[in-house]
Amino acid sequence: MATNATRFGMKVALLMLSMVLTSSYAVAGPTGVVDDFSGNLNAYQDTRILNNGAHAPTNTYNWQITGGRLELNTTNYVGIEQFTLTRTDFSLAVGEELQADVFSTFGVGALQDIGLYVGAGQPTTDVRQNYVNVYLRNNGQVFTRGFDGVAELSLAGGATPAAISALFVRRSAVDVFELGYYEGVTKSILSTRTILGENAAGIGSSIGAYVDVRSLGVVGSLDNLRIIPPNVPGDVTGDGQITIEDFNVIKLNLFKTGQTRMQGDLTEDSIVDFADFRQWKTAAGPGFASVTLDGVPEPATMLLFSTGALLLVSLIRGSRRRA
Ligand SMILES: [Ca+2]
Ligand SMILES: [Ca+2]
Ligand SMILES: [Ca+2]
């Protein structure tokens, strides 16, 4: 049975939690999961952006959701075509990163590419302009490409990551996009595109999927299309919140080199050291003032600093265990 003091503590913690969530995600444009492909594709526009050689008739195909993942199924193949499935109710703001899960089980019988597309508004049929894309080929290679105005960006990439798990497009500045892939928490940037064309600032106003079709069959698949908020100082785990869990990762990987942000390298200089700890501590605030790299204080000690902060950590840990 909860005591009044416990109930009060819970209320304080929930209030703080809501404040943390509100402040952390107060960025331009909606962020978080855009689509887990458990519903339909009504929010998207389907566009054929390339009909290679202007062949006729064109392919017969449809975007479909199978097993909770997005794929494109070609049932009559005539020639090479490229497609986008895009939406404009989400945009990619500076600092944000578009991601989607990809799978080594690529598809059934089909050839070529599936990946992410970030463009300037909805595309026009059989026009390729003002976008960047990153995609997985059926042979396991990953490439990036795109168009600056109508000028094609040179093909980049070609790596064959053994354990690819996701693709990403990060908008690091208004007209600068980093593109690449993840293998778990390990991030690899294949290219950084600086868009110089007249419509450059518009790239980011539409997001979605890209497919290149070169045979009959299913090209797939993508899942969990999502927008990751800009990096929050002190946030190792990428959930937008500063908690003891971020500290724990720094402590675990202290003095290791070649680490990623999610492995504790907040300063992104490829080593986890005191600079990363200090960034976390500054961001964490007075509730965590007693946390040092020599050891984490007992909960009873932290209680003196902030009942709310402690309960917040407990709630977050509890919710993660339940997730
Ligand atoms: Ca899904
Ligand atoms: Ca965090
Ligand atoms: Ca560092």
Side-chain angles (χ1 to χ4, degrees):
M1 184 185 293
T3 64
N4 284 338
T6 309
R7 286 195 200 98
F8 177 72
M10 291 292 284
K11 282 179 183 170
V12 170
L14 286 170
L15 179 63
M16 289 184 64
L17 181 62
S18 68
M19 289 168 67
V20 166
L21 289 174
T22 305
S23 61
S24 298
Y25 290 93
V27 294
T31 59
V33 174
V34 175
D35 202 335
D36 64 1
F37 302 107
S38 60
N40 58 51
L41 301 174
N42 294 347
Y44 298 87
Q45 173 180 306
D46 162 34
T47 311
R48 186 189 63 230
I49 59 171
L50 175 70
N51 170 6
N52 197 44
H55 57 263
T58 54
N59 298 348
T60 305
Y61 72 96
N62 63 291
W63 292 94
Q64 60 191 30
I65 294 173
T66 301
R69 297 175 184 172
L70 176 69
E71 56 192 28
L72 188 145
N73 184 14
T74 302
T75 53
N76 184 45
Y77 179 79
V78 181
I80 296 169
E81 297 180 10
Q82 293 175 351
F83 304 92
T84 57
L85 191 70
T86 49
R87 56 196 299 165
T88 55
D89 54 342
F90 286 80
S91 58
L92 196 65
V94 173
E96 292 180 345
E97 182 172 308
L98 182 68
Q99 296 179 359
D101 296 334
V102 290
F103 305 91
S104 54
T105 48
F106 182 82
V108 181
L111 296 175
Q112 215 73 1
D113 311 319
I114 186 166
L116 292 172
Y117 173 98
V118 176
Q122 296 288 26
T124 302
T125 299
D126 294 337
V127 175
R128 299 190 296 174
Q129 64 179 11
N130 293 313
Y131 68 81
V132 292
N133 59 349
V134 56
Y135 46 85
L136 174 64
R137 184 156 292 176
N138 63 303
N139 65 2
Q141 288 183 290
V142 186
F143 295 95
T144 82
R145 211 153 196 177
F147 282 80
D148 183 349
V150 293
E152 187 160 16
L153 301 167
S154 60
L155 185 68
T160 307
I164 189 168
S165 56
L167 298 171
F168 74 86
V169 180
R170 179 171 180 266
R171 190 175 193 177
S172 55
V174 172
D175 295 334
V176 181
F177 297 84
E178 297 167 350
L179 302 103
Y181 60 87
Y182 284 90
E183 295 173 280
V185 298
T186 304
K187 183 177 191 176
S188 296
I189 298 175
L190 286 176
S191 69
T192 300
R193 306 291 195 182
T194 300
I195 306 297
L196 301 171
E198 76 284 353
N199 202 21
I203 293 181
S205 60
S206 70
I207 63 164
Y210 162 88
V211 162
D212 180 299
V213 171
R214 305 208 172 197
S215 75
L216 274 176
V218 174
V219 177
S221 54
L222 290 185
D223 201 2
N224 300 316
L225 185 67
R226 55 196 182 268
I227 295 176
I228 308 302
N231 291 337
V232 175
D235 177 26
V236 172
T237 59
D239 61 356
Q241 301 169 42
I242 317 303
T243 69
I244 200 71
E245 311 225 342
D246 303 303
F247 167 79
N248 288 340
V249 177
I250 294 172
K251 190 179 178 190
L252 182 69
N253 292 326
L254 194 64
F255 302 129
K256 288 183 184 171
T257 56
Q259 304 296 291
T260 64
R261 184 180 180 88
M262 292 184 78
Q263 292 170 312
D265 181 22
L266 291 167
T267 60
E268 298 186 26
D269 59 354
S270 290
I271 183 169
V272 180
D273 61 12
F274 288 107
D276 305 297
F277 169 68
R278 281 193 295 271
Q279 185 187 119
W280 173 82
K281 189 157 182 171
T282 300
F288 295 89
S290 62
V291 178
T292 72
L293 281 171
D294 296 327
V296 187
E298 294 296 314
T301 311
M302 289 173 61
L303 203 58
L304 295 174
F305 288 92
S306 169
T307 302
L310 174 62
L311 285 166
L312 180 60
V313 170
S314 304
L315 280 175
I316 291 168
R317 284 178 167 169
S319 67
R320 284 191 177 155
R321 274 195 298 272
R322 287 189 296 276

